[in-house]
Amino acid sequence: MRRAWLVLFGLLLVPLGLASAQERVINGTVMDSATGEPVGNADVAIRGTLIRVTARDNGRFVLARVPDAGVTLVIRALGYHRQEVLVGPGQNQVTVTLGRDIFRLEEVVITGQATGVEKQNLPNAVATVSADELSRAPAQTLEGALQGKVPGALIQANSGAPGGGMQLSLRGVSTINGSVDPLYVVDGVVISNTAIANGANAVTAAAAGGNASNQDNPVNRIADLNPNDIERIEVLKGGSAAAIYGARATNGVVIITTKRGHVGAPQFNISQRFGISGISHKLGFHNFRDSAEVAGVFGAAVAAQYFQPGVTFDNEEFLYGRKPLSTETDASVSGGSDATRYYVSALVKNDEGIAINTDYGKQAVRANLDQILSNRVSFAVNTNVIHSRSNRGLSNNDNSGTSPYLVFPFTPNFVDLRAKNGVFPDNPFERSNPLQTFDLLKNEEDVWRIIGTMTARVALLQSERQSLNLLFVGGADYFTQRNDFLSPPELEFEPNDGQPGTVVLTKSTNQNLNFAANATHTMTAASGSYQATTSIGMQYQDRDLNITGILGRTLLTGQTSPSQAASQDPSESIEKVRNLGFFGQEELLLMDRRLLLTVGLRADRSSANGDPSHYFFYPKAAVSYRLIHPVGLFDEIKLRAAYGQTGNEPLFGQKFSPDTSLLINGRFGVLVGNRLGDADIEPEVQKEFETGFDANLAGGRATISFSVYQKSISNLLLDQTLAPSTGYGSRIFNSGGTLRNRGVEVAIDVFPVDHPDFTWRLGTSFFANRSKITSLPIPAFETGGFGTSLGAFRIEEGKSATQIVGNTSPTTVGIVGDAAPDFQMSFSNDIRWKRFTIGTLLDWKQGGDVINLTQFLYDIQHNAGDVPDGGAARRADFQAGHTKAYVQEASYVKLREVSLTYDVPVTAVAFLFGSSIRNARVSFSARNLLRFTGYEGLDPEVSNFGNQAIARNIDVAPFPPSRSFFLSIDLGF
């Protein structure tokens, strides 16, 4: 037994078949075939052996212990075509030239837990976003940097407040009452994107009405990631691509790969950015002409006391007119040897908000280490520590008259709300003064987060034709979040509830634990004409979210702690979910690597299901075939088709009937809650079929990708209203309901000019999706909005899942809009002339309606600033029984990003900064610089109700959007 262990240990640590008497050293250089410049960080391997090194930044590499026989070098570098070079016996020097792969068709895209396929063979439409595309113009958060760059994705801001808050939806609506977020995977670890309420509802009472959803304008935690650390992002949109992630992949999978170290001497990079932001659009106020008009709206007493002809005050500008300086410092160092590579980065970011007393700050440190222990064993360690802090003010819907855009509509512009001698005046027209509210109210969020991953790779077998590798991935994502919400008693609106002063302290912890074990066997023909890859593995995930809070009311001035409040109300929420999954996959690359066949199966179980021991199965199958030089200008056409199933597991607690505590005749008691759970609850199931083609033409100067898909979601989770005689108000259950999406995606990428001194790249994408409720076992129901008089979302068999219904006459209810856009397009344009580079991204959304209740509020008070009559025409239309007056088309064209970059000449760099500086770059950039829209609200991308499946596109007192300008200086030394 001892001898067997020694043999196994030797297999792991000692390369086989290399006799020292027959070894040599090969020195080589990797060059760009077009420019003659060295290609750094290229991967150089000897086919059929474990010998592999990485070229240094000068393109040089050294291969040691090479057999003194004919060998084949396989050289790969990102953005270049793979090259194979035969090195004869006794040859010790070699120079390799690589041709540029400008569309990265040979880039390896993830197709499984431990496998990947070159993009040119990929059978699915998977979107990839590179580091350069992410960093064209600085964005507050990662989702903002992705806007307009992923065909098939609707990335919509919930608010303009500092610190993010966005929802990413892939290929339409995938659920009604389930989770809406994609699965986010960072370096192999599934991380949390939880959005935790900040406690503002204690003041706004927004959830007290007919919309009991989270309206606190929370930040979703994907905003914590530093976009500058990301090497690339892969978005798995279709069921076949995402099926390998099983029961949590119905909404798609976003795979994020962070940057790794380069071989060579340490290289330092530092970026310093300075920026300013300003409000991009205001609603304004109606300018009352004379006292008679004022008296007609507010009464003669108001006209006599407050109105002065020609005297106006822009209170909207006073609150949101800041243009403060924002800064961002990002530094990194990368280097190492063939055996050890490292990447370390640090970020200090401070974004000042456009409103009084608002801001967002983040500090982050990342350390990535890659270590090769032997030719058979290697591991990688990734650690990321993040601290963020935000103050987001107060915004969104309320039922207490506290949110600014619920106060401004009722406050005419002839009233000055600014402080005088440090004292804010009371607002004579409403219950609050928004300038005072933002000056004194505190809505702070403080987050500490640690994400850590360890990956171990073991090569059990490596020969010219076969390999057997093990991959182990373990990691944790842990964060603590503290929310301090304080509404001091001196605020004008506070005494109105009889309990002046409100404080909410919320402390949350979240822990995601991951472990995965994978085995991959690859067999390759001696000629390289075919390849078979078999992979099996398991995944374990443990999610634990704990939220505790305490609400205090009635405070003395200067007191900030709930313990100092006269009344206190504690709360706690605990969510624990454990998942276990197994998968197997077979990939066959046949017919001289032109035909790819893939089949796979995933089995998942979860404690969120009614039966936590039951496994649900998710199969996948896909095929692609490459036609080489089929006709005319086409260099290659790849035909592809794919089918896959994914799941959307129930939300935590949907299988339970929650308890409710209360006093009964003065005695404490516990009752079953009003909502009945489902003890047999199961995941929703999505089945998707996708087909299309990818074409490479004009000598590699253009690519076209076309996809059509249909996905059907069955076993829908529905919330049914019950008869009062049951003792329950509603129940959650798996129904026979089904939801269907059909769509088309097109992406075109063109290089009209590719010259050493001048390059020009154009890209465009098109996406359209149509949803339909194909069956519904319960009567049609409303799932968001403010009733049919103002517009509501209705789930109804045979109709769009995102339809908006309302009054079409005083007695008739009908369809008045649809939140889903008719189509989306984006246009990117990157031009480089010598040392200058200009890049732009234009985003176009056509159609998609918004329920514009902010404008409705202005109109009913005759205070709208966009029309001379104060909104009288719209108001009259609405009073005639037409909801459509405030269900408005939200088409837009936005210049999402624009940047101008200058690479400083080497001689100037040396003169200005010394010989230690390798390069310098100066950039001017802007985000959301221009917009063109017929929508009359603050922003056509608005959605006030947080991350929602259906009831989005509701505009009611949002935080306004902003445009940003940045000056960046990047140095490398």
Side-chain angles (χ1 to χ4, degrees):
M1 184 68 180
R2 179 183 177 188
R3 182 179 180 183
W5 279 107
L6 289 173
V7 170
L8 178 60
F9 185 76
L11 285 174
L12 295 178
L13 298 181
V14 181
L16 300 178
L18 299 181
S20 59
Q22 298 177 337
E23 293 173 351
R24 56 177 163 155
V25 174
I26 296 178
N27 292 278
T29 304
V30 184
M31 311 291 289
D32 186 308
S33 61
T35 66
E37 297 291 327
V39 176
N41 209 39
D43 182 77
V44 183
I46 298 179
R47 183 195 290 172
T49 75
L50 296 172
I51 301 173
R52 181 184 302 271
V53 297
T54 302
R56 289 166 169 75
D57 293 324
N58 59 8
R60 297 181 181 275
F61 64 89
V62 178
L63 290 166
R65 304 186 68 182
V66 179
D68 193 16
V71 296
T72 300
L73 302 186
V74 181
I75 303 95
R76 304 184 69 118
L78 190 62
Y80 291 87
H81 290 290
R82 181 184 63 237
Q83 182 71 278
E84 295 188 4
V85 177
L86 179 64
V87 181
Q91 184 178 352
N92 297 316
Q93 298 284 339
V94 63
T95 298
V96 181
T97 58
L98 301 182
R100 279 183 286 176
D101 181 13
I102 56 179
F103 298 117
R104 299 189 175 184
L105 298 178
E106 295 184 9
E107 179 182 31
V108 176
V109 177
I110 294 174
T111 57
Q113 300 287 346
T115 58
V117 167
E118 289 182 354
K119 190 175 180 180
Q120 63 186 359
N121 292 112
L122 197 66
N124 316 98
V126 174
T128 60
V129 183
S130 67
D132 291 339
E133 292 173 296
L134 283 174
S135 61
R136 181 189 283 117
Q140 275 195 355
T141 60
L142 176 61
E143 310 108 298
L146 284 174
Q147 283 184 302
K149 299 169 185 174
V150 180
L154 175 61
I155 304 174
Q156 188 175 15
N158 295 329
S159 167
M166 291 191 173
Q167 180 172 330
L168 190 159
S169 300
L170 297 170
R171 290 185 170 177
V173 175
S174 297
T175 186
I176 297 174
N177 292 304
S179 171
V180 299
D181 287 329
L183 194 67
Y184 287 92
V185 182
V186 178
D187 293 328
V189 171
V190 178
I191 68 168
S192 174
N193 189 38
T194 300
I196 299 172
N198 55 40
N201 188 71
V203 165
T204 64
N211 292 277
S213 57
N214 183 352
Q215 300 173 54
D216 282 5
N217 191 14
V219 177
N220 44 310
R221 294 269 58 91
I222 200 67
D224 296 332
L225 298 182
N226 178 10
N228 301 309
D229 282 339
I230 296 174
E231 183 65 36
R232 71 175 193 171
I233 295 176
E234 297 172 26
V235 182
L236 309 185
K237 298 173 288 185
S240 176
I244 205 68
Y245 287 91
R248 297 181 63 196
T250 284
N251 299 309
V253 183
V254 179
I255 300 175
I256 299 171
T257 303
T258 61
K259 294 178 179 178
R260 320 302 306 174
H262 293 183
V263 175
Q267 290 192 356
F268 296 87
N269 294 280
I270 185 168
S271 297
Q272 180 62 58
R273 298 183 177 93
F274 303 94
I276 59 171
S277 299
I279 187 170
S280 60
H281 183 68
K282 296 191 298 183
L283 293 180
F285 299 91
H286 179 59
N287 291 314
F288 289 87
R289 297 184 299 273
D290 50 40
S291 297
E293 186 183 9
V294 175
V297 176
F298 298 100
V302 169
Q305 183 176 359
Y306 296 104
F307 181 72
Q308 300 179 53
V311 179
T312 60
F313 304 93
D314 191 347
N315 291 303
E316 189 179 19
E317 176 69 18
F318 298 155
L319 178 58
Y320 295 111
R322 296 180 71 217
K323 296 181 176 62
L325 178 67
S326 297
T327 61
E328 179 179 331
T329 304
D330 186 82
S332 65
V333 58
S334 171
S337 62
D338 291 329
T340 305
R341 292 182 294 157
Y342 57 86
Y343 170 84
V344 179
S345 71
L347 170 73
V348 178
K349 181 183 182 73
N350 180 41
D351 283 333
E352 293 291 335
I354 60 174
I356 298 169
N357 202 26
T358 60
D359 60 82
Y360 173 69
K362 179 162 60 181
Q363 305 87 45
V365 176
R366 170 174 290 277
N368 290 352
L369 174 68
D370 294 272
Q371 179 67 53
I372 298 176
L373 297 181
S374 73
N375 284 337
R376 293 190 179 274
V377 180
S378 65
F379 71 87
V381 177
N382 309 303
T383 56
N384 194 194
V385 179
I386 308 157
H387 174 237
S388 65
R389 189 179 183 91
S390 65
N391 194 340
R392 297 168 65 83
L394 191 67
S395 61
N396 284 13
N397 181 39
D398 77 57
N399 289 300
S400 59
T402 51
S403 189
Y405 279 106
L406 273 161
V407 177
F408 286 150
F410 302 93
T411 305
N413 65 356
F414 50 77
V415 175
D416 188 357
L417 297 180
R418 291 176 294 180
K420 298 173 181 62
N421 299 319
V423 178
F424 287 93
D426 286 346
N427 184 347
F429 297 92
E430 262 294 326
R431 288 179 288 179
S432 69
N433 179 341
L435 276 65
Q436 181 201 41
T437 300
F438 267 61
D439 189 70
L440 300 181
L441 181 137
K442 180 171 74 171
N443 180 9
E444 291 185 353
E445 182 171 284
D446 195 298
V447 178
W448 282 94
R449 187 171 192 174
I450 299 175
I451 303 174
T453 311
M454 176 173 284
T455 303
R457 293 177 173 84
V458 180
L460 293 180
L461 172 66
Q462 191 80 29
S463 69
E464 185 174 355
R465 297 187 58 189
Q466 294 190 67
S467 66
L468 177 61
N469 299 299
L470 302 180
L471 177 68
F472 303 94
V473 181
D477 171 22
Y478 179 81
F479 71 77
T480 64
Q481 177 174 323
R482 172 174 173 148
N483 289 93
D484 289 279
F485 187 90
L486 174 65
S487 177
E490 56 266 34
L491 286 174
E492 180 185 350
F493 62 79
E494 265 298 332
N496 292 338
D497 61 0
Q499 294 180 295
T502 304
V503 59
V504 184
L505 175 62
T506 307
K507 294 185 178 181
S508 310
T509 62
N510 184 85
Q511 176 180 274
N512 280 27
L513 299 178
N514 294 251
F515 177 74
N518 310 279
T520 303
H521 176 264
T522 301
M523 177 179 292
T524 306
S527 63
S529 60
Y530 76 84
Q531 178 177 294
T533 302
T534 305
S535 59
I536 59 173
M538 60 81 66
Q539 270 192 322
Y540 170 80
Q541 297 172 25
D542 186 297
R543 312 195 306 275
D544 188 347
L545 173 62
N546 191 325
I547 305 172
T548 60
I550 184 167
L551 164 64
R553 296 190 188 275
T554 307
L555 290 166
L556 294 177
T557 298
Q559 293 180 335
T560 61
S561 171
S563 64
Q564 299 168 321
S567 64
Q568 300 164 18
D569 185 12
S571 63
E572 183 176 21
S573 171
I574 300 175
E575 299 181 9
K576 291 186 177 182
V577 180
R578 290 182 177 177
N579 292 16
L580 180 64
F582 298 89
F583 73 91
Q585 180 173 281
E586 182 70 28
E587 293 176 326
L588 298 175
L589 196 54
L590 308 171
M591 300 180 65
D592 200 22
R593 296 178 176 266
R594 295 186 183 185
L595 174 66
L596 177 68
L597 302 174
T598 302
V599 293
L601 181 67
R602 169 91 183 209
D604 272 333
R605 72 181 192 189
S606 172
S607 63
N609 299 329
D611 183 355
S613 63
H614 181 75
Y615 283 94
F616 295 88
F617 295 91
Y618 304 97
K620 62 174 288 187
V623 59
S624 69
Y625 183 75
R626 295 163 54 206
L627 301 169
I628 309 300
H629 299 294
V631 63
L633 293 175
F634 289 90
D635 305 315
E636 180 179 312
I637 296 178
K638 177 182 65 180
L639 306 177
R640 49 183 170 79
Y643 170 82
Q645 292 187 19
T646 54
N648 195 11
E649 68 183 26
L651 299 177
F652 176 83
Q654 286 184 329
K655 68 178 180 179
F656 301 117
S657 300
D659 293 335
T660 299
S661 60
L662 73 166
L663 292 176
I664 305 175
N665 294 328
R667 296 183 179 182
F668 180 78
V670 176
L671 293 178
V672 176
N674 190 47
R675 187 182 193 185
L676 178 64
D678 184 355
D680 299 318
I681 202 164
E682 298 178 351
E684 298 175 329
V685 179
Q686 175 179 279
K687 301 176 182 179
E688 180 171 0
F689 177 77
E690 171 191 320
T691 187
F693 69 87
D694 301 308
N696 188 18
L697 61 158
R701 293 292 183 88
T703 63
I704 301 173
S705 178
F706 175 85
S707 301
V708 293
Y709 63 85
Q710 174 174 299
K711 62 179 184 179
S712 178
I713 300 93
S714 59
N715 217 28
L716 285 173
L717 292 168
L718 293 179
D719 200 348
Q720 181 183 18
T721 301
L722 299 177
S725 59
T726 65
Y728 295 95
S730 64
R731 69 165 180 144
I732 189 78
F733 74 109
N734 285 110
S735 71
T738 56
L739 163 65
R740 186 189 70 201
N741 284 273
R742 289 175 174 168
V744 58
E745 298 169 357
V746 182
I748 301 174
D749 213 346
V750 182
F751 254 102
V753 181
D754 185 17
H755 185 272
D757 288 336
F758 182 69
T759 60
W760 182 15
R761 181 172 182 173
L762 294 168
T764 184
S765 66
F766 173 90
F767 166 60
N769 181 87
R770 299 291 182 268
S771 67
K772 185 178 182 180
I773 303 294
T774 50
S775 66
L776 192 66
I778 61 176
F781 62 92
E782 294 176 9
T783 186
F786 291 84
T788 55
S789 63
L790 293 172
F793 291 85
R794 175 176 290 177
I795 302 301
E796 184 177 2
E797 186 172 318
K799 301 296 177 61
S800 166
T802 51
Q803 69 169 345
I804 301 172
V805 298
N807 296 337
T808 55
S809 73
T811 59
T812 307
V813 174
I815 299 173
V816 295
D818 197 303
D822 298 330
F823 64 83
Q824 293 172 262
M825 294 191 72
S826 67
F827 305 87
S828 63
N829 188 10
D830 294 277
I831 299 174
R832 181 187 61 83
W833 177 68
K834 295 186 178 180
R835 298 187 177 275
F836 291 94
T837 303
I838 185 169
T840 60
L841 176 65
L842 200 68
D843 206 2
W844 175 16
K845 181 175 80 73
Q846 180 62 40
D849 296 307
V850 168
I851 301 174
N852 190 350
L853 300 184
T854 307
Q855 187 178 72
F856 167 76
L857 295 172
Y858 275 88
D859 286 355
I860 62 175
Q861 194 58 29
H862 304 248
N863 201 20
D866 58 336
V867 287
D869 60 2
R874 286 190 301 261
R875 184 171 62 252
D877 194 23
F878 174 78
Q879 290 171 345
H882 301 142
T883 301
K884 183 63 178 176
Y886 296 105
V887 179
Q888 301 172 352
E889 182 180 315
S891 300
Y892 64 79
V893 174
K894 289 190 175 184
L895 183 56
R896 188 77 70 181
E897 298 175 353
V898 59
S899 65
L900 175 63
T901 300
Y902 177 68
D903 291 309
V904 182
V906 176
T907 53
V909 170
F911 176 78
L912 293 172
F913 303 106
S915 58
S916 61
I917 303 295
R918 290 183 292 107
N919 55 64
R921 173 177 294 176
V922 179
S923 304
F924 297 92
S925 58
R927 179 168 291 276
N928 296 326
L929 180 60
L930 298 173
R931 79 166 193 178
F932 306 92
T933 180
Y935 180 67
E936 296 170 338
L938 284 166
D939 191 353
E941 293 186 90
V942 68
S943 182
N944 288 156
F945 286 77
N947 287 10
Q948 297 262 342
I950 305 292
R952 298 184 61 76
N953 290 30
I954 298 177
D955 183 336
V956 50
F959 196 105
S962 62
R963 60 171 60 94
S964 304
F965 302 87
F966 289 91
L967 167 65
S968 303
I969 302 173
D970 303 301
L971 300 176
F973 55 95

